Amino acid sequence: MASSSVPADGHGDPTRRDFLMVATGALGAVGAAAVAWPFINNLNPAADTLALASIEVNVTPIEVGQAITVKWRGKPVFIRHRTEKDIKEAEAVPMSELPDPQTDNSRVTDTAKKVRPEWLIMIGVCTHLGCVPLGNLPGQDKGPYGGWYCPCHGSAYDTSGRIRKGPAPLNLAIPQYLFLSDSLVRIG
Amino acid sequence: MRRLIVSGAIALAALVTGAGAVAIAAGTEAHPPKRSWHFQGPFGTYDRAAAQRGYQVYAEVCAACHSLSLLAYRNLMELGLTDNQVKGLIKDIVVPDLNDDGQPIERPARLSDSFRKPFPNVAAAAAANNGKAPPDLSVIVKAREGGADYIYALLTGYVPFDKLSPEQVKEFSVKKDDNFNTYFPGHKIAMTPPLADDKVTYADGTKATLGQEASDVTEFLAWASEPWMEDRKRTGVRVILFLLALAGLMYAVKRQVWSNKH
Amino acid sequence: MASSHGTPPVFNNKVIAWIDHRLPIFSYIEKEYHTFPTPRNFNYFWNFGAIATVMLVLMIATGVVLATNYTPHVLMAFDSVERIDRDVPQGWLIRDLHMNGASFFFIAVYVHIFRGMYYGSYKAPRELLWILGVVIFLLMMATAFMGYVLPWGQMSFWGATVITSLFSAIPVVGDSIVTWLWGGFSIGNPTLNRFYALHYLLPFIIVAVVALHVVALHVHGSNNPTGIDPKGPQDTVPFHPYYTMKDGFGVVVFLIVYSLVVFFGPDMLGDAANYIPADPLVTPTHIVPEWYFLPFYAILRAVPDKLGGVIAMFGAIAVLFVLPWLDTSRVRSSTFRPIYKWCMLLLVVDVVVLGFCGANPPAGFWIPLSQAATLYYFVHFLILLPVLGKIERPLPMPPSIADAVLKKKAG
């Protein structure tokens, strides 16, 4: 308010009074900010949600050439047990043909830097507009590159999950994962 | 104004007298004796070692009948255990789940799982326990008048049939197979005495007397009822100190402002 | 600043001046909360309007955040509240603030109501102001009752059953009304859903009525401990900074008491049985409503007839609506009413006694005590208030607020 700059009628030492006012106002502002935090923090992921932030998957039952879909953080994750042919095809593609150049090796390395070309683990969400591509289940259209094919707008991915054709700008994302043993992988 | 304060005092006195009357009126059942707990008072915390032993009592004895459904195994890490220690504790526990074909299976428990329930549902729990389902223990300490004192008193308050006086047997019509508990409302309780000396063997070498087991499992259940209690008290101390400072400043400001009007 | 009454404020800030020329919110704030002439002799009982406002805002803020995590379903409500306590970041804090906030909101409002009664704040020309206040009180009771059902514990369920069953006392249509309230043949999921929806809605209606309450207050200004109207600038001070600072101090002191309960005894005002999930087949041995309903609950049980009890209970609130016309005295403040003052203080004690009656099983001496207390409650409003106004000789009153203040300072 404009006229609040005019000192209110009252006696006392104006300096002391100003100091008191400023100190009280400052403390009040600190308090208001401290009160605001729990209200904001309340909307952050809860402990039970965070507890599911990583999952452990046993990959032994997945035969060569098969793939499974697991749910992780509310999204599908594709785990494909690739054949020798899949791997060879993926490694043979020249970088110049890729809209989002990445080597196949870099896409099959876990957080301990161990490369396991037979296991391709990706988030199954098309990088175009978030649809789930086809090709993970037997009998589904794997698209022209033998990988995955997004039915929404026709993006096609190769056997390394890299974008080859269509509107999607990026390769299918690789989550952080770690093989705890040859059969058990932790995602997240 | 002074008159008003006096009348306020009179009203307060009436209130206190009334409260006394309430206490007298409620005095028909045996009150659990007051015990001192590590988590009492404005600065009280949970005794981690006791609560860990208490988990052992729960897992080896209570869990056979009582669920603890609001807790997850990950919560045990708040008792000062590492994730590997908790994984070790739960390595033999299996929980129900569905496989990819939608068929029910049992799989090893994970940290994120809720505590395994001994019975699939309340009806099954009642059917297996002579028609009375054992209550879930997640908030049992908050759900009973007397709280931790009551739980401890109940666990240690069993009286064998041959130790009862003839008057007690008559008054409460106790039969030989009944479980008589001094602190249970009505005295006849469906639960057989759950604890006894050396019912468990503590890993830390503590002697497992009945009282020790009861006190440990009560500490554990108190924690289970309110795992955030320490956070609450810590925050409270900070909030009160802050508000006292603010009140002091506000009072000074108010006096300054009013100094020419009084 | 007191000299600036009546002259339109001049805003130096160009943006504020621009806005104010088109939408005079700044002029309004200036007029109603800054220069507003307020009696200079308020005591601390006058803080409770501001305190109640703070509690209302706090309840809505915490409530909206709680709603983002609560699940209104009979199978999930109890666990979702526990999840808020256990897993949601600082969820326990928001829930404890909300759960105890209801109690402290009622504490503030009860003090506010008794202050209004003692100092005759309901008398002309403030009758509508008072009636709006009673409407707020009623809306608060409805909101609090439905909020207590949401955790879906044993007291939630059985409290809801008992209170909604009150309507079955209505002749002929009673049972149909109860079925309609429940949306079924007992308290169940439809009931929980509608209570949740209404519990979210009603606070905003309370805000609207509070706004009307404040508008009505600012027409004739506040009453004061002497009950004498201000006669000039010597009797008043501008609202800011005098009462903003005094209210601010009072609010902080109130928050200290509130925080002590929230952080060091969050369950002391609640009932242990509400931590047992609702079970439609087992009634707790002793059903009690939350403490702020206990006096009315005692009145309900004091009358040994179902319909009579319900009428008495609603009558106990309804009588507040006509309070301005039951009081025949020309004097506002009890300070100058030597007999009525004691009747008024006795009423406070009476309501506290009723509260204890409501908390205890209706047996033994509690029955005659609650009946005697109920009797006094109605005698106070329906007999003492109209009769004393005619026969009581008021004490001599000071000519003005300023005189009263000066006399008090000298004495």
Side-chain angles (χ1 to χ4, degrees):
Chain A
M1 270 158 286
S3 49
S4 62
S5 56
V6 182
D9 44 345
H11 303 285
D13 182 0
T15 336
R16 177 160 172 240
R17 181 165 164 175
D18 286 350
F19 169 75
L20 265 178
M21 285 286 198
V22 169
T24 312
L27 197 63
V30 169
V35 167
W37 172 242
F39 288 83
I40 298 163
N41 192 24
N42 223 248
L43 301 178
N44 272 320
D48 57 339
T49 311
L50 292 174
L52 296 173
S54 70
I55 56 167
E56 287 174 12
V57 182
N58 182 359
V59 294
T60 350
I62 311 170
E63 306 276 341
V64 175
Q66 277 193 339
I68 61 162
T69 306
V70 295
K71 205 168 137 195
W72 174 69
R73 297 186 183 175
K75 287 182 284 214
V77 166
F78 295 160
I79 304 178
R80 181 144 159 189
H81 196 167
R82 298 194 294 179
T83 61
E84 285 298 317
K85 184 166 158 278
D86 288 340
I87 300 168
K88 284 221 180 68
E89 274 179 23
E91 285 173 347
V93 182
M95 286 298 114
S96 57
E97 280 186 25
L98 296 172
D100 178 19
Q102 266 183 324
T103 62
D104 183 58
N105 242 10
S106 69
R107 294 177 57 79
V108 290
T109 309
D110 72 7
T111 46
K113 302 277 174 240
K114 188 157 167 46
V115 181
R116 292 173 192 265
E118 67 275 28
W119 294 110
L120 179 62
I121 300 175
M122 305 181 299
I123 296 172
V125 174
C126 181
T127 57
H128 179 220
L129 291 171
C131 297
V132 177
L134 299 175
N136 218 44
L137 292 177
Q140 282 184 340
D141 182 6
K142 287 184 158 54
Y145 297 90
W148 289 265
Y149 176 73
C150 182
C152 294
H153 304 92
S155 296
Y157 299 87
D158 66 14
T159 55
S160 188
R162 292 172 297 197
I163 181 66
R164 299 297 291 273
K165 205 177 111 232
L170 299 172
N171 304 333
L172 290 176
I174 307 289
Q176 289 210 330
Y177 64 88
L178 174 68
F179 276 87
L180 302 169
S181 68
D182 282 339
S183 60
L184 194 65
V185 60
R186 184 171 71 207
I187 302 170
Chain B
M1 185 64 203
R2 180 143 309 140
R3 281 270 176 76
L4 216 59
I5 291 169
V6 172
S7 354
I10 293 170
L12 201 73
L15 219 122
V16 171
T17 334
V22 174
I24 294 162
T28 46
E29 256 150 25
H31 270 285
K34 288 255 173 268
R35 283 175 61 82
S36 100
W37 296 101
H38 199 273
F39 48 82
Q40 266 172 350
F43 304 103
T45 55
Y46 293 117
D47 180 344
R48 295 290 191 284
Q52 287 180 22
R53 287 195 300 271
Y55 169 71
Q56 189 185 346
V57 177
Y58 169 76
E60 292 179 16
V61 183
C62 321
C65 302
H66 290 278
S67 58
L68 199 60
S69 59
L70 295 174
L71 270 83
Y73 293 114
R74 64 186 156 82
N75 293 130
L76 292 173
M77 296 195 291
E78 295 159 34
L79 285 181
L81 299 167
T82 65
D83 56 349
N84 280 327
Q85 281 174 314
V86 177
K87 279 179 184 168
L89 284 177
I90 66 171
K91 65 179 188 301
D92 296 329
I93 299 175
V94 289
V95 293
D97 200 354
L98 298 177
N99 68 10
D100 293 342
D101 304 325
Q103 297 306 311
I105 52 158
E106 293 207 310
R107 58 159 177 80
R110 301 180 191 129
L111 290 180
S112 57
D113 285 322
S114 294
F115 273 49
R116 179 198 161 85
K117 292 179 186 156
F119 303 102
N121 53 57
V122 177
N129 288 280
N130 299 321
K132 177 80 179 72
D136 185 90
L137 298 182
S138 310
V139 281
I140 199 77
V141 171
K142 287 205 282 189
R144 294 290 180 272
E145 295 290 344
D149 289 331
Y150 172 77
I151 302 296
Y152 177 87
L154 185 89
L155 290 171
T156 55
Y158 284 88
V159 184
F161 183 73
D162 47 12
K163 295 265 171 65
L164 288 172
S165 68
E167 295 81 48
Q168 281 173 313
V169 173
K170 194 155 168 259
E171 187 184 347
F172 303 107
S173 57
V174 189
K175 291 188 202 66
K176 198 161 181 2
D177 294 335
D178 287 340
N179 305 303
F180 185 93
N181 193 302
T182 314
Y183 300 101
F184 189 71
H187 298 303
K188 286 196 284 187
I189 183 168
M191 176 167 70
T192 53
L195 302 176
D197 289 349
D198 298 314
K199 189 91 178 187
V200 296
T201 308
Y202 285 133
D204 65 1
T206 307
K207 195 165 160 27
T209 60
L210 166 63
Q212 184 68 42
E213 291 164 7
S215 147
D216 287 345
V217 81
T218 305
E219 185 92 21
F220 170 70
L221 291 175
W223 165 79
S225 284
E226 201 182 346
W228 64 94
M229 179 208 70
E230 293 171 5
D231 193 10
R232 161 162 73 73
K233 290 174 179 173
R234 263 198 312 274
T235 312
V237 170
R238 272 182 251 145
V239 168
I240 298 287
L241 288 176
F242 172 83
L243 286 177
L244 284 173
L246 187 61
L249 273 177
M250 285 296 307
Y251 185 67
V253 167
K254 186 233 139 195
R255 273 185 66 104
Q256 278 282 327
V257 166
W258 280 88
S259 55
N260 65 328
K261 294 286 175 188
H262 280 308
Chain C
M1 202 171 327
S3 60
S4 65
H5 297 326
T7 53
V10 179
F11 296 103
N12 299 326
N13 184 313
K14 283 212 171 91
V15 176
I16 287 176
W18 187 92
I19 295 172
D20 198 74
H21 188 60
R22 287 147 184 88
L23 182 70
I25 43 173
F26 297 101
S27 296
Y28 174 81
I29 294 170
E30 178 76 13
K31 182 164 161 280
E32 303 295 341
Y33 290 100
H34 189 176
T35 58
F36 191 70
T38 314
R40 59 185 286 184
N41 60 333
F42 284 176
N43 56 36
Y44 276 104
F45 284 108
W46 259 263
N47 278 6
F48 284 86
I51 290 170
T53 312
V54 168
M55 290 314 293
L56 175 61
V57 171
L58 188 80
M59 289 306 281
I60 290 179
T62 51
V64 167
V65 175
L66 284 175
T68 62
N69 280 304
Y70 171 75
T71 310
H73 187 282
V74 291
L75 298 178
M76 289 177 271
F78 187 90
D79 286 3
S80 80
V81 171
E82 281 293 324
R83 180 178 171 274
I84 289 172
D85 271 349
R86 288 161 191 270
D87 287 337
V88 173
Q90 288 169 306
W92 60 268
L93 173 57
I94 303 291
R95 188 198 167 212
D96 284 353
L97 285 171
H98 196 75
M99 172 170 101
N100 289 295
S103 284
F104 279 81
F105 192 11
F106 271 99
I107 289 174
V109 164
Y110 275 126
V111 175
H112 191 63
I113 291 173
F114 279 118
R115 189 271 287 153
M117 286 187 187
Y118 187 88
Y119 294 107
S121 300
Y122 49 84
K123 291 193 202 186
R126 296 189 183 85
E127 300 95 324
L128 272 182
L129 171 62
W130 172 262
I131 287 173
L132 287 167
V134 181
V135 170
I136 294 168
F137 181 49
L138 268 177
L139 287 169
M140 275 176 68
M141 298 215 282
T143 310
F145 163 67
M146 288 188 275
Y148 193 58
V149 176
L150 303 185
W152 208 244
Q154 275 289 67
M155 281 297 169
S156 299
F157 183 89
W158 291 100
T161 301
V162 169
I163 300 300
T164 49
S165 295
L166 290 179
F167 293 93
S168 69
I170 302 170
V172 188
V173 291
D175 286 331
S176 311
I177 288 178
V178 174
T179 308
W180 175 78
L181 281 173
W182 287 344
F185 302 108
S186 65
I187 297 271
N189 205 48
T191 328
L192 180 59
N193 270 286
R194 62 189 60 184
F195 278 16
Y196 180 52
L198 292 173
H199 182 71
Y200 204 113
L201 168 71
L202 286 185
F204 297 96
I205 297 180
I206 293 178
V207 169
V209 185
V210 166
L212 293 178
H213 190 66
V214 170
V215 169
L217 172 71
H218 280 228
V219 175
H220 292 284
S222 298
N223 184 30
N224 66 81
T226 63
I228 305 165
D229 286 328
K231 298 199 168 66
Q234 74 282 3
D235 287 343
T236 64
V237 291
F239 189 80
H240 177 77
Y242 290 93
Y243 285 115
T244 45
M245 292 306 133
K246 191 169 179 177
D247 280 346
F249 172 61
V251 165
V252 175
V253 171
F254 189 84
L255 289 180
I256 291 175
V257 183
Y258 171 50
S259 301
L260 283 172
V261 173
V262 165
F263 291 105
F264 298 104
D267 292 308
M268 69 185 246
L269 296 169
D271 198 298
N274 222 31
Y275 282 105
I276 304 170
D279 183 347
L281 302 180
V282 182
T283 310
T285 43
H286 185 203
I287 304 175
V288 277
E290 288 283 82
W291 69 266
Y292 37 81
F293 293 136
L294 289 175
F296 299 103
Y297 190 56
I299 292 176
L300 168 77
R301 296 193 307 189
V303 181
D305 172 74
K306 188 174 177 184
L307 182 59
V310 173
I311 290 173
M313 187 182 77
F314 285 109
I317 301 162
V319 74
L320 299 176
F321 280 105
V322 289
L323 178 61
W325 295 277
L326 290 173
D327 189 349
T328 52
S329 174
R330 287 174 299 105
V331 179
R332 284 203 189 104
S333 174
S334 296
T335 315
F336 305 109
R337 299 184 62 184
I339 306 172
Y340 180 69
K341 171 200 280 184
W342 291 105
C343 298
M344 188 55 227
L345 293 174
L346 189 58
L347 181 72
V348 177
V349 176
D350 186 65
V351 171
V352 172
V353 168
L354 277 172
F356 281 104
C357 292
N360 281 283
F365 74 98
W366 291 109
I367 296 173
L369 184 62
S370 62
Q371 287 171 342
T374 302
L375 187 67
Y376 180 77
Y377 186 92
F378 286 104
V379 164
H380 176 93
F381 286 107
L382 299 178
I383 298 173
L384 289 177
L385 205 51
V387 171
L388 273 179
K390 300 278 188 208
I391 62 171
E392 187 182 41
R393 265 189 57 192
L395 300 175
M397 290 200 280
S400 75
I401 293 172
D403 285 302
V405 172
L406 291 173
K407 196 177 136 225
K408 200 171 161 192
K409 208 187 293 184

